[in-house]
Amino acid sequence: LAIHPKLIVVTLLGFSSGLPRLLVASTLIAMLTDRGVDTATLGLFANVIMPYSFHWAWAPLMDHLRIPVLTAKLGRRVGWILVAQIMVMAALFWMGIRIEAASPLEIAIIATFIAFFSASQDIVIDAYRTEYLDPELYGKGAASGVFGYRVGMLVAGAGALAMADIVHWGVVYFVMGALMLVGMITVLIAGEPKNVPERIEAHSPGEWFKEAV
């Protein structure tokens, strides 16, 4: 069976979206456990994933704000996706550099950065998928995105843990950061969706909140 090229794009972007999630959750907890961090401190690390729950708060800003140069050259969606992916990659590299020597507090700060920009990436990828796919592909596109997301989580979970048995954790996070290139290359090749609105109407903060909830 032939697979529609747009579904491949959505799958790869789903992979990029799912990859960072466990790197600030169960995989991170496994690394901290290896380092002998106490249970009470481990419990506090549950808070680093809070950006995933509150990303609706800055989603309207990402719809309205333009990125100098990038928005004009690449488009609103592609520009924001690339910025978010670059920041996730940079934060994962930062984690890779500091993971062996950093205090739990520093690791928590880096993990929060990863979670924030990962959640920001999710915001724009969701909008991108809706505008990029033809209406008849919405159902398959949703399934493809979820499949890619799950594969990304599998790589960042079981894959990262398997790697950690062979190399030290710094290398693991470097490899995971490099895998963000999958999403970057994909979105650069696919380009900006054709039906992104030229101008998104501004709303008051109260209207934004009502739409979000």
Side-chain angles (χ1 to χ4, degrees):
L1 291 176
I3 301 175
H4 197 289
K6 289 189 174 183
L7 296 180
I8 297 174
V9 169
V10 168
T11 301
L12 294 175
L13 288 178
F15 173 85
S16 178
S17 189
L19 185 73
R21 186 66 183 253
L22 293 188
L23 297 174
V24 293
S26 58
T27 301
L28 181 64
I29 296 300
M31 182 277 297
L32 292 168
T33 302
D34 277 354
R35 287 186 49 179
V37 175
D38 62 89
T39 305
T41 303
L42 289 176
L44 295 175
F45 273 82
N47 295 318
V48 303
I49 64 171
M50 288 182 68
Y52 288 106
S53 299
F54 293 98
H55 65 285
W56 54 266
W58 65 91
L61 292 176
M62 298 184 76
D63 254 348
H64 289 77
L65 294 181
R66 293 176 174 271
I67 306 168
V69 181
L70 279 181
T71 298
K73 290 198 172 288
L74 300 175
R76 181 186 289 119
R77 302 304 186 203
V78 173
W80 271 115
I81 289 173
L82 279 178
V83 167
Q85 290 173 337
I86 289 169
M87 294 306 293
V88 170
M89 174 187 277
L92 288 171
F93 286 164
W94 180 17
M95 182 76 84
I97 292 169
R98 295 293 301 153
I99 204 166
E100 299 295 334
S103 67
L105 175 60
E106 184 179 349
I107 290 174
I109 291 170
I110 299 171
T112 302
F113 269 98
I114 295 169
F116 175 81
F117 288 108
S118 173
S120 299
Q121 176 191 214
D122 292 351
I123 292 168
V124 197
I125 285 179
D126 286 345
Y128 182 96
R129 183 174 63 244
T130 301
E131 294 160 351
Y132 179 71
L133 290 174
D134 304 318
E136 62 270 20
L137 292 175
Y138 282 167
K140 292 179 180 178
S144 298
V146 171
F147 174 74
Y149 192 92
R150 296 295 183 187
V151 172
M153 291 182 70
L154 182 64
V155 169
L161 293 175
M163 281 186 61
D165 285 337
I166 304 169
V167 297
H168 62 74
W169 279 102
V171 174
V172 173
Y173 273 84
F174 262 98
V175 171
M176 295 298 135
L179 285 174
M180 291 301 297
L181 286 169
V182 171
M184 294 181 197
I185 294 169
T186 297
V187 79
L188 283 172
I189 292 173
E192 185 80 349
K194 292 181 180 179
N195 56 343
V196 176
E198 295 251 335
R199 181 174 177 273
I200 299 175
E201 294 298 325
H203 299 288
S204 69
E207 289 173 320
W208 286 350
F209 180 80
K210 288 178 183 177
E211 290 178 3
V213 299

